[in-house]
């Protein structure tokens, strides 16, 4: 049973526009959420995180929003750049160090 | 920044042989490391938690006798795939948490190992 779901396998946006990547979770025990970016044949690199006590966290062009009642979080990238093209993984944890990952969304930013 | 080195980056082996994958934290100490496996277009699935000085903790469904984990020091964990079969072909990734960081600090990942069993 998938506890972290990324229902969009891919997303394509134009350079300069906003990219919105979505993630849903089912486990109410999750209290910390992270987004990782991954290029082919490389390990994931950390992008941004949010604690369940917050509903928004911003770092430069990246903002993560958390809606606990809906068990939903999203990553906004604005403005999107071609270098942002990668696979983005949503991950969650709660009560332990174990991270549970979604299947990822492949973002393509077109010049 | 914290660097996790994983070696080899890719390996091809024959069915029935064993393969060892190394995961090193280069500039920090890691009492705990994690081993993940990723199948194409799938999420990273946690296989086991590696603890320095004690036995690894395996996730449900992961055969501990097939995937041997040794956490020999605070900077090195190894995963040995024993008697590999074609269905073990996958992308294996390790991650580590810096012992000096807080509980919610992000894990640092290696670049992964692409294993192909022929």
């Amino acid at each position: 049973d998938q506890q972290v779901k990324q229902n969009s396998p891919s997303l394509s946006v134009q350079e300069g526009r906003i990219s919105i990547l979505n993630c849903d979770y089912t486990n109410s025990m999750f209290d910390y959420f992270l987004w990782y970016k991954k290029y082919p044949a490389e390990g994931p690199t950390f992008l941004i995180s949010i604690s369940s006590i917050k509903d928004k966290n911003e770092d430069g062009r990246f903002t993560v929003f958390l809606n606990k009642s809906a068990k939903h979080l999203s990553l906004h990238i604005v403005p999107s750049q071609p270098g942002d093209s990668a696979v983005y993984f949503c991950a969650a944890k709660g009560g332990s160090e174990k991270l549970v990952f979604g299947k990822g969304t492949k973002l393509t930013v077109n010049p | 920044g914290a660097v996790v080195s994983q070696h080899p980056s890719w390996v091809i082996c024959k069915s029935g042989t064993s393969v060892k994958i190394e995961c090193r934290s280069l500039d920090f100490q890691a009492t705990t490391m994690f081993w993940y496996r990723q199948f194409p277009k799938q999420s990273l699935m946690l296989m086991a938690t590696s603890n320095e000085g004690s036995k690894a903790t395996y996730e449900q469904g992961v055969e501990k006798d097939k995937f041997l984990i040794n956490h020999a020091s605070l900077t090195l964990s190894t995963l040995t795939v024993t008697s590999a079969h074609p269905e073990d072909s996958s992308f294996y990734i390790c991650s580590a948490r810096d012992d000096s960081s807080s509980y919610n600090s992000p894990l640092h990942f290696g670049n992964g190992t692409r294993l192909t069993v022929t």
Side-chain angles (χ1 to χ4, degrees), chain B residues 18-48:
Chain B
S18 296
V19 173
K20 180 186 283 189
I21 303 170
E22 292 188 348
C23 180
R24 294 180 184 273
S25 55
L26 296 187
D27 48 3
F28 63 95
Q29 293 186 330
T31 301
T32 304
M33 293 186 178
F34 303 89
W35 287 96
Y36 289 85
R37 177 169 57 186
Q38 183 187 24
F39 291 107
K41 298 184 180 180
Q42 298 296 313
S43 61
L44 283 76
M45 299 299 296
L46 180 65
M47 298 175 66

Side-chain angles (χ1 to χ4, degrees), chain B residues 17-19 47-48 55-56 58-59 61-69 79-85 88:
Chain B
T17 61
S18 296
V19 173
M47 298 175 66
K55 290 182 179 180
Y58 290 83
E59 295 300 301
V62 178
E63 299 176 57
K64 62 180 182 180
D65 293 330
K66 181 169 186 61
F67 298 100
L68 300 179
I69 291 173
L79 168 68
T80 301
V81 183
T82 62
S83 187
H85 288 100
D88 298 324

